[in-house]
Amino acid sequence: MSFFEKFENGIENAVNSVFSKFGSNELKPVDLMTSLKNEIDTKAVTLPDGRVEIPNRFSVTLSSDSYDKVESWGAETFADELSDSLVNYATQQGFTLFGPINIRFQEDLEMGKAQFAIESEKVDQNGNMVKEKHSKTPENLIDEPEPTPPTITPTVVQPAAASVPATEVNPASFDFAASGSPQLVIDEQIFELSKPQMILGRDENADISINDKGISRRHLKFKIDGRKVIVSDMGSTNGLFVEGHHTPAALLQNGNVITIGRTKINFHQL
């Protein structure tokens, strides 16, 4: 159930100032949000392993009056509010996202007032279309025994040769000599991986706590064994991406860029 249906969860209050910008005779954001959720539900695909994958890029076509209203107020901010709401909805429903949710608006001069249309697709971290996989439809879903969790072999992902660091922090300024520990750089903050095992997530009690609605409470586990650092997904909703590749686990290399939710993490190790 989304925040539009649960007024007590506090998110509605955060976006109420945005929604109040629209009058009763104009496009109602609650209607747009409901339609976005319906688009997710309609396009959801249940895979053989039980995961439910949903689209994460949405094109919203608006009538001229609604488009001008959104543009004058600030389309990017409004899109961010809707994206945050969809991430919250996806998390509550247990859906799997290939990457961050992106919403873009476009104008249709022939649309009537307050009319809109929505199209969606699944794209990876690099913006590439994701191929459909074999799915289970509601008609052929059957009760199956819980599968034995597979042994995860970490993937070694080499840093992209021409990639641009996710932050403006200069790696040369890192003080590796102080402890010899590998480090994560998140929004210009440096976190040392100083214990044999560390948890990163939205939970305040996590070893590294990140305020990002697209991150699960316990999202990643870092296992440090000498010079080896393995990062693994702890069953999060939105998954783990290393150098743009969706993976359950990875043996990190110096310079790797990790993406979870809307957060980019630079990994550094001498």
Side-chain angles (χ1 to χ4, degrees):
M1 183 179 294
S2 74
F3 73 89
F4 286 94
E5 298 160 335
K6 293 181 65 178
F7 292 90
E8 71 273 14
N9 75 355
I11 299 178
E12 185 179 22
N13 293 333
V15 298
N16 188 56
S17 60
V18 176
F19 293 170
S20 66
K21 300 285 183 178
F22 297 82
S24 59
N25 295 324
E26 299 172 339
L27 172 69
K28 294 182 176 63
V30 66
D31 294 332
L32 183 57
M33 186 63 206
T34 299
S35 295
L36 286 166
K37 286 166 50 182
N38 289 339
E39 179 73 8
I40 284 179
D41 294 339
T42 300
K43 297 289 183 66
V45 175
T46 304
L47 302 180
D49 62 6
R51 291 183 301 123
V52 180
E53 294 180 339
I54 61 173
N56 59 318
R57 184 161 70 186
F58 301 85
S59 296
V60 181
T61 303
L62 300 165
S63 58
S64 294
D65 61 302
S66 296
Y67 182 83
D68 291 343
K69 185 76 173 180
V70 170
E71 280 291 305
S72 65
W73 186 83
E76 184 176 350
T77 301
F78 183 47
D80 285 344
E81 297 287 356
L82 291 173
S83 296
D84 289 344
S85 300
L86 289 183
V87 168
N88 182 62
Y89 176 69
T91 301
Q92 292 172 345
Q93 299 299 320
F95 294 152
T96 299
L97 288 164
F98 282 96
I101 286 180
N102 176 267
I103 298 175
R104 56 188 178 185
F105 301 106
Q106 56 190 21
E107 181 181 12
D108 187 335
L109 299 176
E110 298 182 358
M111 271 191 171
K113 187 174 183 179
Q115 290 184 343
F116 61 89
I118 297 173
E119 295 182 350
S120 64
E121 56 192 354
K122 287 183 255 186
V123 296
D124 61 20
Q125 292 290 108
N126 298 318
N128 300 317
M129 288 282 294
V130 176
K131 294 181 180 179
E132 294 293 338
K133 302 176 182 178
H134 176 68
S135 64
K136 292 180 178 179
T137 62
E139 290 76 16
N140 62 24
L141 283 174
I142 59 175
D143 292 331
E144 296 176 339
E146 192 70 21
T148 302
T151 300
I152 297 176
T153 301
T155 301
V156 178
V157 183
Q158 296 294 341
S163 64
V164 178
T167 67
E168 296 299 324
V169 177
N170 181 1
S173 66
F174 298 163
D175 186 13
F176 290 104
S179 66
S181 301
Q183 297 177 331
L184 305 178
V185 182
I186 307 172
D187 291 335
E188 299 189 3
Q189 287 186 284
I190 298 175
F191 300 88
E192 289 192 358
L193 299 176
S194 55
K195 299 191 296 186
Q197 180 175 298
M198 296 184 69
I199 304 300
L200 182 149
R202 195 159 41 86
D203 195 317
E204 293 181 357
N205 295 321
D207 297 299
I208 302 175
S209 181
I210 305 297
N211 184 19
D212 179 344
K213 296 185 181 71
I215 294 177
S216 297
R217 296 181 66 83
R218 293 169 63 86
H219 200 118
L220 298 180
K221 176 167 65 178
F222 291 89
K223 185 176 181 181
I224 300 91
D225 183 7
R227 295 286 301 167
K228 291 171 57 178
V229 179
I230 296 174
V231 60
S232 57
D233 187 0
M234 299 182 68
S236 68
T237 298
N238 294 329
L240 161 66
F241 296 82
V242 180
E243 296 295 330
H245 301 283
H246 192 194
T247 180
L251 176 61
L252 295 176
Q253 305 294 302
N254 183 41
N256 276 158
V257 178
I258 302 166
T259 305
I260 53 172
R262 296 186 177 186
T263 299
K264 290 190 180 296
I265 304 169
N266 284 345
F267 173 76
H268 294 280
Q269 182 180 50
L270 285 183

